[in-house]
Amino acid sequence: MNDDAKSWGDFWANNADKTDGEGPSGCLPERWSAIEDAQKAAWSGFIADLTEGARILDLATGDGRVLRWMRDERGDLSLTGIDLAPTLPPAPNGTETRGSVAMEDLPFEDNAFDAVVSQFGFEYGDSAKVAAEIARVLSPGGKVALMVHRGDGPILEHNRNRAAAIDWAIEQTNVTGAVSKALQTPGAGPAIAAQVAAALAKLGASKFGETSPAWEIPEALRRACLMGESQGTASILETMEVIKERAENEIGRINSLARACVTADARDNLVEAFAANGHSLAATNEVSEPSGRAFADFLTFN
């Protein structure tokens, strides 16, 4: 499994208890509900002209968010999603999702779908191979719609800021090492370790903000020390290691996002990949947040 697959696989495994894709997006801050509204509007426009009972395949479906939006508007559609992650949250009602499936090697017969879609997924794969697989499973006259990242958009900017805060906490400050040392120092223990974590959380908040990982990570360590006091040092250390691993996993996903933005921004290469398989770009529309700043491009192919 490559680094991208591991990062996203771990993410969806940790979110596998979500039901029906109803939670906030794993990639966007909860306060960005307006961004989801713009995404929904783009997909609503796309499915409006699909034929009755159209078969749709969603690539890199994750929690099936796009499938759920489509199901809510068009209950007649046949909705299937695939993702490379081996463990996914439950599929939204009325849809089917499959894990451990690469976009470059789809387990479907030729002409199996009337439309293939992807939201922030296509650009994580090998463009030429995925475009060829899309062409293979798409029925004659079928349509393709991709919502792809933009390197100049707020999503990558937001995540790069988070990466800087995580790096400060995990690498530069080594908060887990400092709290672990206090925890295991004779005469100190969980109470003193919690105080160390609290001091580092305050410092992180002053540098990056109170909702940043620079605050979140030491605050999680502080709570682990207090809540695990009755279970002993070994239990606290185990929880601390999980916190550190999840922070490092987020760095992996952010690096994956940055690479995906590079692929999406190389638009000529993307369009050529489809043209080589008989599909031409029909339209490109910006998808924007309320400020007017574009966070994605919505590409359709015929």
Side-chain angles (χ1 to χ4, degrees):
M1 182 180 293
N2 62 32
D3 290 342
D4 287 0
K6 183 180 186 306
S7 295
W8 286 104
D10 289 348
F11 173 80
W12 289 121
N14 290 330
N15 287 273
D17 58 346
K18 285 185 179 180
T19 57
D20 202 27
E22 296 291 345
S25 170
C27 309
L28 304 175
E30 291 184 42
R31 64 182 182 274
W32 288 10
S33 61
I35 284 182
E36 284 204 339
D37 289 341
Q39 292 173 319
K40 289 180 187 178
W43 291 116
S44 177
F46 176 73
I47 65 173
D49 295 329
L50 295 182
T51 58
E52 182 80 13
R55 303 159 298 169
I56 299 179
L57 175 64
D58 181 27
L59 305 179
T61 192
D63 61 359
R65 184 168 304 267
V66 171
L67 298 180
R68 174 169 58 83
W69 294 339
M70 292 182 174
R71 175 210 65 192
D72 289 346
E73 285 208 29
R74 293 275 308 266
D76 62 291
L77 299 176
S78 175
L79 301 167
T80 302
I82 63 94
D83 201 287
L84 188 57
T87 303
L88 298 173
N93 291 333
T95 74
E96 176 190 357
T97 60
R98 302 188 194 181
S100 298
V101 178
M103 294 183 285
E104 296 85 352
D105 187 19
L106 298 173
F108 304 108
E109 296 180 356
D110 296 356
N111 308 324
F113 297 96
D114 302 301
V116 177
V117 304
S118 182
Q119 176 169 289
F120 300 156
F122 175 89
E123 60 267 44
Y124 288 87
D126 182 309
S127 296
K129 292 181 179 179
V130 179
E133 275 294 87
I134 290 175
R136 182 184 65 80
V137 302
L138 200 61
S139 62
K143 298 182 178 181
V144 180
L146 309 175
M147 187 175 295
V148 297
H149 284 295
R150 290 174 58 119
D152 63 353
I155 294 175
L156 181 59
E157 178 182 75
H158 165 81
N159 280 279
R160 279 180 167 158
N161 290 338
R162 285 190 63 84
I166 294 170
D167 179 73
W168 177 86
I170 297 299
E171 299 296 337
Q172 299 179 40
T173 310
N174 189 18
V175 294
T176 53
V179 175
S180 175
K181 182 178 180 180
L183 180 65
Q184 298 177 82
T185 297
I192 300 301
Q195 292 177 19
V196 171
L200 292 170
K202 184 176 181 180
L203 180 59
S206 70
K207 287 181 173 293
F208 294 91
E210 293 185 355
T211 60
S212 72
W215 173 85
E216 292 171 349
I217 293 170
E219 172 61 14
L221 296 175
R222 183 189 71 83
R223 295 180 185 181
C225 290
L226 296 179
M227 296 175 65
E229 187 170 4
S230 63
Q231 299 176 342
T233 299
S235 176
I236 296 173
L237 290 172
E238 183 177 341
T239 301
M240 288 172 56
E241 186 61 28
V242 171
I243 293 169
K244 182 178 180 180
E245 287 178 358
R246 290 188 177 180
E248 292 172 340
N249 179 64
E250 183 168 359
I251 288 289
R253 288 189 290 107
I254 293 169
N255 290 338
S256 174
L257 166 63
R259 291 191 293 271
C261 286
V262 171
T263 298
D265 286 345
R267 194 57 50 80
D268 289 345
N269 293 340
L270 192 156
V271 172
E272 288 173 5
F274 279 94
N277 291 279
H279 293 279
S280 59
L281 181 66
T284 300
N285 294 298
E286 291 185 344
V287 187
S288 302
E289 59 182 344
S291 69
R293 185 180 180 186
F295 65 85
D297 282 336
F298 193 72
L299 315 177
T300 53
F301 296 84
N302 293 326

